[in-house]
Amino acid sequence: MAQSLTHGETALPADWRDLFALTKPRVMSLVVFTALCGLLAAPVSVPPVLAFASILAIALGAGASGALNQWYEAGLDAKMKRTAGRPLPAGRLDPQTALQFGIGLAAFSLFLMLFASNWQATLLLAASILFYVFVYTMWLKPRTPQNIVIGGAAGAFPPLIGWVAATGSIAPLPVMLFLLIFLWTPPHFWALALFMRSDYAAAGIPMMPVVAGEKSTRRQILFYALIMAVAAIAPWPLGYTGALYGWTAVILSALFVALSVQVGIRETGDADLMQPEKRLFAYSIAYLFILFGAVVADHWWPL
């Protein structure tokens, strides 16, 4: 749970850069991109101003989720090298300011979405914020190594929200894109958890490598990579996308599986630099960006 500043410390006045850092901008960039792809792949045309406002609402909702996550986990972040420099554990921001900022941003994002699109997209955006904050951050993450598996649903909402913002309804393709991100999340985050295992252990977070060990985690990375590849390719034979997306998915997914095999079968020692795991983590981000870009390209310029 959120904790106050270290004894004797006083928070500095809130700086816009610290407030921006609360929103987890690097995570937000992927959220915005997948949401935009969901909107652009929809079979309707949305006025540019309303489309921009809808995507902005999704970005602000994601930022609010990140801010509330950092508010709640400030004590845990202080124990991890990767996150100790964040505004709250570093003492640059007061927890109450972070809480108010997160709640205010979430409320504004929902009002903006309702104004720019429809109540269905607004409801999905609200569900994604609540799921990330209450189900993933407060309930799953500190309690179970399956936190990433179940919690992956939180990051899978954006393309679905983007599509519904454009159409007002749910269709098979955005549901399949939701499933793709849901299955992509475990190998993506477990690759990170393998080379950041000591950080998670120090903070007492039950990530898979900490609780189940490296060997089990590596097997599960490979398992999820295989079923993710099937989910990624499936829209093509099912007729929801064309050959441009299909061949992109086949090639990119084959490489994803190849990198996962390398991670899945190897054994490491204490001084291992974890290069295959770092390569898989980096590639997984590029994989999702390129694949979702292919969804849009296939819609607008089919082969």
Side-chain angles (χ1 to χ4, degrees):
M1 186 174 178
Q3 70 175 37
S4 14
L5 302 168
T6 305
H7 293 297
E9 290 185 351
T10 303
L12 299 173
D15 185 282
W16 72 267
R17 286 164 293 192
D18 290 325
L19 292 174
F20 183 62
L22 280 182
T23 65
K24 297 187 175 181
R26 285 188 292 181
V27 174
M28 192 197 297
S29 65
L30 189 56
V31 167
V32 169
F33 185 74
T34 56
L36 178 62
C37 290
L39 187 146
L40 292 177
V44 297
S45 179
V46 181
V49 173
L50 295 182
F52 174 79
S54 297
I55 297 302
L56 178 60
I58 295 170
L60 295 177
S65 300
L68 292 171
N69 170 271
Q70 289 196 50
W71 164 77
Y72 189 80
E73 293 187 343
L76 294 177
D77 284 345
K79 299 175 182 178
M80 299 173 63
K81 293 178 183 178
R82 184 172 64 90
T83 56
R86 287 176 173 175
L88 287 168
R92 298 194 305 272
L93 202 60
D94 177 69
Q96 192 66 21
T97 300
L99 176 61
Q100 292 169 353
F101 175 71
I103 293 174
L105 203 60
F108 181 72
S109 73
L110 296 176
F111 282 119
L112 181 60
M113 179 62 84
L114 187 60
F115 170 79
S117 62
N118 51 64
W119 66 266
Q120 295 95 328
T122 305
L123 188 61
L124 282 174
L125 180 58
S128 70
I129 295 170
L130 293 173
F131 189 94
Y132 186 82
V133 174
F134 291 102
V135 178
Y136 171 67
T137 299
M138 296 185 179
W139 180 39
L140 292 172
K141 190 172 180 180
R143 288 176 173 81
T144 171
Q146 295 297 321
N147 48 25
I148 287 301
V149 177
I150 306 168
F157 274 104
L160 189 60
I161 300 172
W163 181 286
V164 173
T167 66
S169 61
I170 295 175
L173 179 57
V175 171
M176 298 181 83
L177 296 178
F178 175 98
L179 181 62
L180 169 60
I181 298 178
F182 180 78
L183 295 172
W184 166 89
T185 302
H188 167 72
F189 275 103
W190 285 338
L192 170 69
L194 281 170
F195 61 85
M196 298 298 298
R197 179 182 178 181
S198 59
D199 253 13
Y200 287 116
I205 300 173
M207 294 296 282
M208 190 64 71
V210 176
V211 175
E214 279 197 21
K215 189 173 182 180
S216 174
T217 303
R218 292 176 185 281
R219 286 200 304 265
Q220 293 190 63
I221 284 175
L222 182 53
F223 170 74
Y224 275 97
L226 289 169
I227 58 174
M228 180 213 70
V230 174
I233 298 167
W236 183 24
L238 291 176
Y240 297 113
T241 60
L244 175 59
Y245 170 83
W247 282 113
T248 303
V250 168
I251 295 168
L252 293 181
S253 298
L255 182 53
F256 196 113
V257 170
L259 292 173
S260 298
V261 168
Q262 188 177 13
V263 170
I265 64 175
R266 71 191 296 261
E267 297 181 1
T268 60
D270 293 337
D272 195 281
L273 297 178
M274 295 285 188
Q275 292 302 325
E277 292 75 16
K278 292 176 182 178
R279 278 196 297 271
L280 175 59
F281 177 74
Y283 175 75
S284 67
I285 298 171
Y287 171 87
L288 214 58
F289 271 109
I290 299 171
L291 202 55
F292 271 79
V295 172
V296 177
D298 188 82
H299 173 72
W300 288 95
W301 306 285
L303 295 178

